[in-house]
Amino acid sequence: MAGHEGRRNRDINGLLRWDLTPDQVMELEGGFSRQGNMYAGEHRGGAPSAVMQEWAGRGSETRRVYRQNLALTHRGNWGDLGDSRVVFQYENSRTQNCRQSSGGRGAGACNDVNETQFSELESVFVNGELNTPFTLSGLNHMMTSGIEYRKQDLRDNNEALTRPEDRLPDVRDHVDMTNTTWAAYLEDNIALTDTLILTPGIRFDHHSQFGNNWSPSLNAMYELAGGFSLKGGIARTFKAPTPYQTSEFYQSRLGRPCPYLDASGDDLCTVRGNPNLKPEISMNKEIGIAWDSLRGWDSSLTYFRNDYKNRITAEATGAVLNPNGTINLANPIDYTWANTGKAVIHGLEGNLNVPLLGTNGNQLRLLNNFTWMFRNERKDTRQPLSIVPLYTLNTTLDWRPMREFSLQLTSTLYGRRKPRSLNYVGYQMVDDAARIRGSYAIFGLNGSYQFNKNHRLGKVCKTHCAARIPPLGASLRWLLRSIAPLLTAKAALRCIPLAGAGLPQEFCRPSLAFGVSNLFDRQIRRAAANAADDQLDRGETEFIRNGAGALTYNERGRTYFVTYTASF
């Protein structure tokens, strides 16, 4: 049985900015957060255990995530040499879970509060970038050059390693995994004419495990008459496997029981790391047209296509034996990360923004963007890479009756989702295993109000607090009645005068955002994925009958949010 979990979040972040000179700025930023996921009462079926009932009743936490981050940033203006940015960043994430299986099979079965799984990820990131304008052969250029360094250290005691009966040979109680990446990149925006900009680029990556990789790119934009423009580009990219996927000493669970096995079976699927994996390589292409009327109307339509090779997926390597001793490839229990055949993702994306009231829609406007998928599949099997909606349409009705106040009604429409039609060895998925998730929509409502110099209901302050904001209009007071206690401290704070016309707006962030997500409480529950009597023998063809199909996820119900920030 499926549910949705609650969360307890505690966050604190701070930013210290030092203007060394009018052209040199130093920023020190740090933060800490804790997220606790409360047990949803989810179990595979039948009567929940006593532990499950107790945990669900008191809202016990089955997952805790602690995050710490520290960043030092320098921004400088060096005259003719251009603008620079240097970032040193450290992040640490620690995760502690109760023992749970995944994929709807035994999920949420936290039977022992003392049996936990932990992982810790430390990441160091360094980036230096310089943007330099210059003129060469009568052409204006804007050159971007940069270098990157990233190191990741992962420590994990996944279930398969800490259970003595399942431990791989020569494996300790935890696994330490490390990788580093060096990169250098160069990009040049060249104004060939007043209407044509060409942008060639090149990136070099050196990975500690996968060696060297070159990623060239070429983009162009051409301005047509009447506010129209053409855009296109092509780029080669690569994606290195994660430390989990490449560690030969690491294995993780797919759940109990295995996919396509009898629900009463005790066999546990495992996915093992593969040190022989190759990086994913893709060729990404896009071409599109955009229109901007400069009067509030604007739209765009872009075709995109990404072709992959060495796609990384979990492939079956072992199976259950039939009564006659032969291998039953319909019921794999051992998987490994592997590079599979070629794959393709292509479709359309675009937007349409419509002014309804005011100058260029500054009082009321309708904002829309969409994505439509043509293909999202492996080329050899024509099976989907992931279960994604056929289309996604995001719409926002943005109302701004006065400078201080705004209200947005949002909606997201998801198209149908179809599961794979064949299992991993080519057997056809039918009945429950082929269930389709139909289209549905999620609505939301949020707003903002800035009511004095250093308080604001909303996301970011848009001025440097130069003038006092008029009192709240009577017609809008009802919006604040439920959150009035949060505003009692407003008189105690004063806005700090901020010098320098070039000071970024995001430095001033007094805010109080409020709203409702999933306004009409449209809840969706994933289906059970038990696999009893999974195979149907119809002549000489094998069929897979039971499964969740595309009904593999939950949609959270209605939630409310209020956040408050003040500058001082």
Side-chain angles (χ1 to χ4, degrees), residues 472-537:
L472 179 64
S475 63
L476 303 175
R477 288 174 185 161
W478 61 273
L479 289 171
L480 300 179
R481 288 174 183 170
S482 62
I483 54 175
L486 297 175
L487 311 180
T488 56
K490 68 177 183 178
L493 299 178
R494 295 292 182 267
C495 183
I496 299 175
L498 302 178
L503 189 64
Q505 293 179 0
E506 61 266 22
F507 184 76
C508 186
R509 293 180 178 175
S511 63
L512 180 51
F514 61 95
V516 184
S517 301
N518 200 346
L519 184 63
F520 300 112
D521 200 24
R522 178 72 162 89
Q523 299 188 35
I524 289 177
R525 297 288 181 263
R526 78 184 188 198
N530 290 338
D533 302 321
D534 201 34
Q535 297 180 73
L536 292 178
D537 187 6

Side-chain angles (χ1 to χ4, degrees), residues 176-211:
D176 292 309
M177 294 163 274
T178 300
N179 62 45
T180 58
T181 302
W182 289 89
Y185 55 91
L186 190 67
E187 184 179 85
D188 191 11
N189 289 276
I190 309 171
L192 297 179
T193 69
D194 292 339
T195 58
L196 177 61
I197 298 178
L198 191 66
T199 309
I202 187 70
R203 179 184 175 96
F204 171 78
D205 289 90
H206 175 77
H207 194 280
S208 58
Q209 185 172 353
F210 301 105

Side-chain angles (χ1 to χ4, degrees), residues 362-378:
N362 64 344
Q363 293 184 13
L364 182 66
R365 56 180 179 164
L366 186 66
L367 311 175
N368 304 275
N369 66 77
F370 78 94
T371 301
W372 191 289
M373 301 298 296
F374 293 155
R375 293 176 65 187
N376 170 44
E377 62 191 24
R378 286 179 53 171

Side-chain angles (χ1 to χ4, degrees), residues 7-13 31-38 59 61 63-69:
R7 295 177 182 172
R8 298 185 183 100
N9 291 334
R10 299 178 179 91
D11 305 274
I12 182 170
N13 295 278
F32 172 83
S33 68
R34 179 195 184 278
Q35 176 180 302
N37 292 31
M38 294 179 288
E61 292 181 347
R63 174 183 172 90
R64 296 187 182 101
V65 180
Y66 300 88
R67 294 186 178 91
Q68 297 169 284
N69 65 281

